Amino acid sequence: VFANLVQAPEDPILGVTVAYNKDPSPVKVNLGVGAYRTEEGKPLVLNVVRQAEQLLVNDRSRVKEYLPITGLADFNKLSSKLIFGSDSPAIRENRVTTVQCLSGTGSLRVGAEFLAKHYHQRVIYIPHPTWGNHPKVFTLAGLSVKTYRYYDPATRGLNFQGLLEDLGSAPSGAIVLLHACAHNPTGVDPTIEQWEQIRQLMRSKALLPFFDSAYQGFASGSLDADAQPVRLFVADGGELLAAQSYAKNMGLYGERVGALSIVCKSADVAAKVESQLKLVIRPMYSNPPIHGASIVATILKDSELYREWTIELKAMADRIISMRHQLFDALRARGTPGDWTHIIKQIGMFTFTGLNTQQVAFMTQEYHIYMTSDGRISMAGLSSRTVPHLADAIHAAVTR
Ligand code: LMR
């Protein structure tokens, strides 16, 4: 009955790993998916995660019962504090509802399904470019996707004027997807002054912010500083949605741990919103898994484990910054034509290199370097050992 199906293409990001795994070359490097690797090129399980898991294993009172539809209550409370701040007025006033979801993607999808069902404006503006999965998540949830200008290829920085113009001409009430920090794929964020201007514009037009926070702690190395843009929008008393992921900042990729928070005008509204979120979640996956959320809650509620987490997180962020400098220096040493300062200016896990599809294909074919075709490289996948190989490949690609 499925004989007439056409073969679907691989995912533009996860498909890079599929291709990488098939390549027998000993020099191959995977800079596609945004997943942290050590200097030795190995995946990293944070020490603090191991400790939390040990505590969980040793606790014989723990059972494997179903979680509530909304997930682990402790996890939800601690997650909203992590993003909104422990002194957040919205949390104090019980105006926030937080539900545990399947990492960032699941949180976005639940939020989008909720909006498609209950919000009067079904159009969402997403930055151009953005994470490849965003348009699919929102479209399949029933929202109509439009883009706003974000990145300027000429400066390899923010097209702030274009952003203001596009949001300025969006219909009143439209939803706007904002990357909370460390924009994926460009590594370009607004300054805090620009965020304030964005906030004023959006509030004046009643545009509804939907933050995607997948990299808290990876932009500046500080969890609080990276949450500043979100907190600006909470401080004005207005509404917003925020999707959080612990994939990157706790290295819990495969555990699929995340949260969706909706900040409402009153505690009464928040309770109604939560009741409707349960109706979205129950037929989708019933209730979320227990293990990853328990790890996160264990770390967030213990001040010593929390402190250790911030140190390990900073170490990951710092290693990525060091890779930026090593790659920049290696290109300079080779006299590679072009201005590569964006490699050290951009932040977070990715560098948006400016390499085009043909150059990327050449680098994959000749140098076994795997990256997304838009020229994005995951700096977290690089090491001192692989930087020279990447620099050779980039040099060859731009000079051929
Ligand atoms: C990425 O952009 O590489 C990550 O967010 C992983 C993913 O699921 O695409």
Side-chain angles (χ1 to χ4, degrees):
V1 290
F2 301 120
N4 292 335
L5 281 190
V6 291
Q7 180 74 30
E10 288 285 359
D11 181 79
I13 297 174
L14 302 182
V16 174
T17 303
V18 175
Y20 168 84
N21 287 337
K22 284 190 194 144
D23 185 342
S25 165
V27 299
K28 65 180 178 177
V29 189
N30 187 3
L31 306 176
V33 68
Y36 186 82
R37 297 284 176 266
T38 62
E39 245 320 282
E40 292 70 44
K42 298 272 180 313
L44 178 70
V45 178
L46 298 187
N47 198 20
V48 80
V49 166
R50 297 259 191 235
Q51 289 182 59
E53 285 189 314
Q54 202 53 57
L55 289 171
L56 294 172
V57 168
N58 292 345
D59 181 355
R60 304 300 296 181
S61 71
R62 288 179 53 77
V63 289
K64 303 283 186 192
E65 290 296 285
Y66 292 125
L67 283 179
I69 297 173
T70 51
L72 193 66
D74 260 4
F75 166 85
N76 290 337
K77 239 181 264 151
L78 293 158
S79 293
S80 71
K81 278 192 184 165
L82 184 70
I83 188 159
F84 300 127
S86 47
D87 55 352
S88 171
I91 295 179
R92 211 172 37 239
E93 292 154 15
N94 287 321
R95 292 191 285 111
V96 186
T97 176
T98 303
V99 292
Q100 180 193 333
C101 296
L102 303 185
S103 206
T105 308
S107 307
L108 291 166
R109 182 66 186 259
V110 168
E113 298 274 347
F114 169 81
L115 290 169
K117 211 160 161 207
H118 298 290
Y119 186 58
H120 65 277
Q121 188 47 281
R122 302 243 158 74
V123 59
I124 183 162
Y125 281 69
I126 63 175
H128 179 71
T130 193
W131 179 49
N133 214 18
H134 278 148
K136 299 170 202 166
V137 167
F138 296 123
T139 306
L140 288 174
L143 298 174
S144 139
V145 174
K146 297 232 155 62
T147 58
Y148 62 89
R149 278 170 285 171
Y150 187 85
Y151 177 75
D152 182 355
T155 62
R156 296 198 173 132
L158 184 69
N159 181 353
F160 190 51
Q161 207 44 47
L163 178 153
L164 292 179
E165 279 169 27
D166 291 349
L167 295 188
S169 54
S172 165
I175 309 156
V176 178
L177 179 82
L178 302 160
H179 294 226
C181 67
H183 182 272
N184 175 7
T186 67
V188 173
D189 283 359
T191 63
I192 201 72
E193 292 76 24
Q194 289 170 330
W195 273 116
E196 174 52 23
Q197 267 178 273
I198 296 169
R199 187 194 67 77
Q200 285 176 16
L201 171 70
M202 286 184 55
R203 291 308 194 197
S204 75
K205 298 202 56 183
L207 302 176
L208 181 64
F210 194 161
F211 279 98
D212 184 356
S213 178
Y215 296 91
Q216 191 179 351
F218 266 103
S220 66
S222 149
L223 288 155
D224 282 322
D226 285 359
Q228 254 351 86
V230 179
R231 293 178 192 176
L232 264 186
F233 281 77
V234 177
D236 67 16
E239 291 140 314
L240 63 85
L241 288 84
Q244 278 170 276
S245 162
Y246 290 96
K248 328 280 176 171
N249 59 13
M250 272 197 203
L252 291 174
Y253 305 92
E255 296 289 358
R256 311 308 294 143
V257 206
L260 170 73
S261 288
I262 305 190
V263 178
C264 306
K265 284 279 188 197
S266 70
D268 181 47
V269 176
K272 288 186 201 150
V273 165
E274 181 163 313
S275 71
Q276 291 296 338
L277 285 172
K278 285 158 76 173
L279 297 189
V280 172
I281 293 168
R282 173 67 165 146
M284 212 190 279
Y285 54 86
S286 208
N287 44 62
I290 201 165
H291 186 65
S294 304
I295 296 172
V296 173
T298 304
I299 294 170
L300 294 184
K301 74 177 163 210
D302 180 300
S303 57
E304 185 47 34
L305 290 179
Y306 185 92
R307 198 185 62 83
E308 283 183 42
W309 173 45
T310 59
I311 294 168
E312 288 189 81
L313 176 55
K314 177 87 171 46
M316 289 194 284
D318 284 348
R319 199 187 79 73
I320 294 172
I321 292 171
S322 141
M323 287 304 110
R324 291 187 179 281
H325 286 279
Q326 288 186 32
L327 179 60
F328 177 70
D329 291 346
L331 290 171
R332 267 246 290 255
R334 282 161 182 73
T336 308
D339 173 8
W340 298 96
T341 49
H342 57 288
I343 294 177
I344 40 185
K345 281 194 214 134
Q346 294 174 355
I347 56 169
M349 266 201 178
F350 305 108
T351 292
F352 207 46
T353 57
L355 294 163
N356 62 36
T357 319
Q358 291 77 25
Q359 289 167 328
V360 171
F362 166 81
M363 287 166 55
T364 306
Q365 202 167 1
E366 301 297 323
Y367 288 81
H368 306 274
I369 290 183
Y370 288 81
M371 53 196 275
T372 51
S373 62
D374 58 1
R376 181 191 86 165
I377 55 177
S378 171
M379 300 306 286
L382 263 184
S383 69
S384 307
R385 190 179 53 81
T386 51
V387 162
H389 183 58
L390 174 61
D392 286 344
I394 294 178
H395 186 87
V398 300
T399 52
R400 91 198 171 98

